[in-house]
Amino acid sequence: MTGTLDLRPLVPAIIVGFTALVVLLAQAFTPKGKTAPSFPLSLIGLAGALAAVWVLFTGPGRGAVLADAVSADVFALFLQAVILGIAVVSVLLSPSYLRANGGERGEFYALLLMSVVGMLGLVSSLELVSLFVALEIMSIALYAMAGMVRGRPESQESALKYFVTGAFSSAFFLYGIALLYGVSGSTSIDRVALAVSGLSSDSALLAILGAGMLLVGFGFKIAAVPFHMWAPD
């Protein structure tokens, strides 16, 4: 480990997070009766993040940073580009959807961008705690987005349901991390995998239990089968 703090692999997520803050400020300072420039600002921020991914992909700056907690290898950069591309499409489709459902507020775009920040962290994490933080950033924004259409009871129900199941799954996820740390002495995914491969039968049972709890927590968060049955409609 060197004393140099290299944040280049985090630049795409930093750009998206900064854009979310700008969108919130633009919404707050837009005069009453006028429309905040949330839509164009979101597109500009996502385009800047895509450009940063391309620069990282074609030049220096790839590798693990922050004590090997986050990586920007080729696979992570590819997934980041996919996420940002889908986010651009989502932003382009949002105005007509928001008008049809009465949810035209700039906070929607800020929450969408913050959720994207969490997704970018998810595909880059090399360590279980950073993975949990990225998952929570993604999920908390989605809780709020689910309940933004205040006039629809289904929207309020889905937000509450998602929050309760999300909190429940977070407990599973954290306890799974604790068990894996207990048997391996590390939260690094590589070190956990290396330690688990040489465990005794008793410790291996704890590792399997911890991995199972991680799977349950993650499955609830992303509504994977069979946990999709508890996901908000």
Side-chain angles (χ1 to χ4, degrees):
M1 183 184 298
T2 64
T4 304
L5 185 62
D6 186 2
L7 295 179
R8 283 179 294 177
L10 299 179
V11 168
I14 292 172
I15 291 174
V16 177
F18 180 76
T19 304
L21 295 177
V22 171
V23 168
L24 275 179
L25 290 174
Q27 178 75 11
F29 289 101
T30 298
K32 198 170 184 180
K34 294 188 177 181
T35 303
S38 305
F39 175 75
L41 286 174
S42 300
L43 287 179
I44 291 170
L46 291 171
L50 276 170
V53 169
W54 176 252
V55 170
L56 286 172
F57 188 79
T58 57
R62 294 196 298 271
V65 296
L66 300 179
D68 294 337
V70 180
S71 176
D73 54 20
V74 174
F75 187 61
L77 291 173
F78 169 74
L79 290 178
Q80 287 186 0
V82 171
I83 291 168
L84 291 169
I86 294 172
V88 169
V89 175
S90 299
V91 170
L92 290 173
L93 295 175
S94 293
S96 58
Y97 174 80
L98 294 175
R99 281 194 298 270
N101 290 274
E104 291 182 276
R105 292 191 295 274
E107 293 88 349
F108 173 87
Y109 295 97
L111 290 169
L112 176 63
L113 292 171
M114 290 308 299
S115 182
V116 169
V117 171
M119 295 176 194
L120 295 177
L122 273 177
V123 299
S124 304
S125 295
L126 296 174
E127 198 255 352
L128 292 174
V129 175
S130 62
L131 186 71
F132 173 75
V133 171
L135 192 60
E136 290 302 305
I137 292 173
M138 180 194 76
S139 300
I140 291 172
L142 293 178
Y143 301 158
M145 289 175 68
M148 285 198 68
V149 186
R150 299 174 185 172
R152 293 180 59 189
E154 298 89 349
S155 177
Q156 305 305 303
E157 179 188 355
S158 66
L160 180 60
K161 186 178 180 182
Y162 197 9
F163 173 76
V164 172
T165 57
F168 182 70
S169 62
S170 294
F172 270 92
F173 200 90
L174 282 173
Y175 197 61
I177 291 176
L179 289 177
L180 288 176
Y181 177 77
V183 298
S184 66
S186 175
T187 56
S188 170
I189 295 175
D190 288 340
R191 292 178 185 173
V192 169
L194 185 62
V196 166
S197 62
L199 291 176
S200 63
S201 58
D202 292 339
S203 298
L205 183 60
L206 281 178
I208 293 171
L209 183 60
M213 287 188 168
L214 285 183
L215 188 61
V216 169
F218 199 73
F220 265 111
K221 291 284 188 182
I222 66 173
V225 176
F227 307 105
H228 67 292
M229 294 185 288
W230 289 274
D233 299 329

